[in-house]
Structure formats: structure tokens, C-alpha cells
Amino acid sequence: MARGSIAAVIVCWLFVVFDGYDLIVYGNVISSLQDEWGISSSTAGTLGSLAFLGMMIGAVLAGRLSDVVGRKQAVIGCVVVLSVFTALCALATGPIVFGLLRLIAGIGLGGLVPTSNALAAELVPDKWRAAVATMMMSGVPIGGSIAALVGIPVIPNWGWRPMFLFALIPLVVLVPLAIKVLPAHDPHGHPGSAAGGFRELLGARFRTISIMFAAVTVVTLLAWYGLGTWLPKLMQGEGTDLGSALTFALALNLGAVVGSFVTAWGGVRWGSVPTSIIAALLAGVALLTLLLDPPVAVVYLIFVLAGVGTHGTQALIIAAVASYYPDHLRGTALGWALGVGRIGAVAAPQIGGWLLAAGLGADSNFVLFGVSALISALLLSVIWRKFPTSHDAPRGPILAH
């Protein structure tokens, strides 16, 4: 792979790191927002869902846009939107303004992952595409880990507002670098690329697998982003202080970082979909084990495993989508899967807030997220049996498409 391509992939990965930071930071400031503005858990859940609603819009639009106007322009545009409007959250005077800013920032957040992955996928050899797509997604939990590490000293001493100002870093530092190193992409370089789009994606050839990829992303993101949004608050409800609660969030995100690399290796070794089935099962079983009231050391281990499983599964799904579709549909397909899949991300903070507001406690959330992971494993098993790629083919009889 050429040196210029490596530099471009690294810049895309750094953008995903800040995408992860900007997304996960909300979970670290929920308690502070509730204290300052006097909002309920249900309202806090609604505010969390607004960013994911924006992400749903952004993923669908930017994925298609990247196939039409070019990857480079779409990536940089998404970064500008997420940086500016996330930073403006620091100036919000109340929940309504804050929610509106998070919604608009979410459009950039949602568009950045499919456009960055589509660009990176075109810069690497086919045999490494799944590994690079999976490792690209390690940026999300790394960003989340940074948010937790920064929050531990910053929030108690300076409050929640400075946490959102860090979003200016990619705008000031990385965008000028991206303008220089990201390659120009000819949107008309693939025959029929302008005419394909969602009509081809949902046509007879790809309709069923496209719906399956979207469905499995819904339940996987419900588990991953539900934990990312509510974990510090859930652990505070179990009697831990904010500092300790943030260390549980750190364990989740560090597990997701480890999971990105472990599942990347597993995806190359055994195939993206078979490896994702194991990862999803691991997360589901680990989260349901919390119902047994294990000791604190085991709880940390459970959240590490939950991070490995939930985020690892989603990274592998992205890798599978990036490898399954032809070049001219890749951005659209990634945008579709992540855009529709954001229904799970939108629902997770809201449902979690409702469960807490109803007095059902932390266990109800862990059941919700654990069962979602198990459903993900079931749907992935169907994909593996009915829609195998050459690398993911099951050992045994293959059912027809």
C-alpha cells in the first residue's frame, strides 16, 4: 500500500476517534446536566436520542453523497458539522438549545463513519479490507475512552462544558491535513454509479441482505450505544460515585478497543460474519451475568467483555458490508446499514431512560442490552447460513440465496 494511502487511512481513523469522543461524551455528562438543569432521566434519554436521530439522517445522506460527489468532500463536510455544533453545545443555556445542537452535530457524526470507511476501503487491497474496516472502528471506543479519561479530572473541577470544546481539535488540526492527504475520488469512476443508489441497493439482487444488515445493526447499536449512554448513570444508581462510575465506562470502551483488534484478526482468520456471531454471544451472556450480582472485579471484566462483544460485532458488520457490495454501491450500502441501524441507537437512550424513570433499576437496562446482543447473534447466524461470501462460507451445506 502506498505511503500516501497509509497517511489517508490514518487521517480517516483519527476522524473516527473524534467521532467516538463526541458521541460518547454525552454519557459522561448526564448527571451534571441533570443537576444543573433539573431534568428527569426520561428527558436526559430524549436528549441522548437526538444525536442518534441526527446520526441516522447523516449516515443515509452522507453515504449516498459520498458515492455522488466524492469521498473526500463528504468526509471533510461531516467533520466540519460535527466539530462546530458539538463545540457549540458548551454554550447551551438549557436542554432545548442543547438538544437542537446535538441533533445537528449528529448529522456530521452519523455521516463520518460510512464515508471514512468507504474511502479507506478503496485505498487498501481486497484481502485487507475487512481488517482495515474493523480496525478503523477502533477509533470509536478509543475516543470514548479519551472522553472518560478527560472527564475524570475535568468534570469535577470545571464542569461539563469544557468537555464539548475538545471537538474543535479536528476542525483546527485535522481538516487542513485532510485537505492535503485525502485523495480525490471520482464519483463517476464506476459505470452506473450515479444511477444505482438506493434503487439498486433495495432491488431484487440486494434487497434481502440489505434489510438483514440494517436489522442486525439496529439491535447491535441498541446494545452498544445504550451502554455508552447510560453506563455511568446506571453505576451511580448502584451506589458508586461519579469517578468510579466513569471507570466502569472506561472499562467498557477499553474492551471495545481490544475487541476491535481481536475481532479484526478473527475476521481475517475465520470471516467477518462467523466471528461477529461469537462476539455478539459473548456480549449478551456477559451482560445477563450482571443479574447475578457478581463482585466488583467481575463487573469490570463483564464490561470489558461487553465492550469487546458489542463494538466488535458492529465493526465486523461494517467490514462485512464493505466487502459484500460492489465499489459503486459501497458508500450507499454503509450509509443504509448505519442509517437505518441508528434506529437502535435512537431508541436505546430513550428506552433506558423510561426504564429508569419507571423505577425498574439498572438490571432492566442490562437485560435490554444483553437480549439485544443475543438477537444480533441470531440474525447474524441467518446471514451466515443464507448469504455467505467466499470467506465467510459455513462448513457444511450452503442454503441458496
Side-chain angles (χ1 to χ4, degrees), residues 51-266:
F52 295 121
L53 178 61
M55 292 177 74
M56 183 168 63
I57 298 168
V60 174
L61 293 182
R64 179 59 184 143
L65 191 65
S66 74
D67 284 336
V68 175
V69 304
R71 315 286 193 222
K72 179 176 182 177
Q73 292 86 342
V75 167
I76 292 174
C78 289
V79 173
V80 171
V81 171
L82 78 87
S83 293
V84 170
F85 286 93
T86 298
L88 286 174
C89 288
L91 306 178
T93 55
I96 295 176
V97 173
F98 182 89
L100 179 61
L101 292 170
R102 287 291 285 174
L103 174 67
I104 300 173
I107 295 174
L109 287 165
L112 185 56
V113 169
T115 54
S116 296
N117 273 280
L119 192 155
E122 293 181 350
L123 298 175
V124 299
D126 288 349
K127 68 175 181 178
W128 292 108
R129 186 168 286 164
V132 169
T134 308
M135 292 175 69
M136 277 279 292
M137 292 308 295
S138 70
V140 174
I142 287 175
S145 300
I146 293 171
L149 286 171
V150 171
I152 290 172
V154 168
I155 296 173
N157 290 297
W158 296 286
W160 60 270
R161 295 180 187 274
M163 296 293 292
F164 291 92
L165 294 176
F166 288 101
L168 293 174
I169 294 175
L171 181 66
V172 174
V173 177
L174 293 180
V175 166
L177 187 60
I179 292 172
K180 181 178 180 181
V181 305
L182 295 188
H185 167 259
D186 180 7
H188 306 296
H190 305 291
S193 63
F198 294 109
R199 179 175 297 180
E200 183 177 355
L201 189 75
L202 298 176
R205 179 182 175 190
F206 295 112
R207 181 186 302 119
T208 303
I209 187 62
S210 296
I211 292 172
M212 290 294 293
F213 276 132
V216 73
T217 303
V218 168
V219 290
T220 304
L221 291 184
L222 194 154
W224 166 238
Y225 285 127
L227 285 168
T229 300
W230 281 113
L231 184 55
K233 180 68 176 180
L234 293 175
M235 299 314 294
Q236 279 187 284
E238 295 293 289
T240 60
D241 58 36
L242 177 60
S244 298
L246 289 175
T247 63
F248 286 111
L250 181 61
L252 175 75
N253 283 285
L254 290 177
V257 174
V258 172
S260 296
F261 292 96
V262 170
T263 55
W265 173 80

Side-chain angles (χ1 to χ4, degrees), residues 346-365:
V346 171
Q350 190 64 75
I351 297 173
W354 286 339
L355 292 173
L356 290 178
L360 297 178
D363 283 353
S364 63
N365 274 257

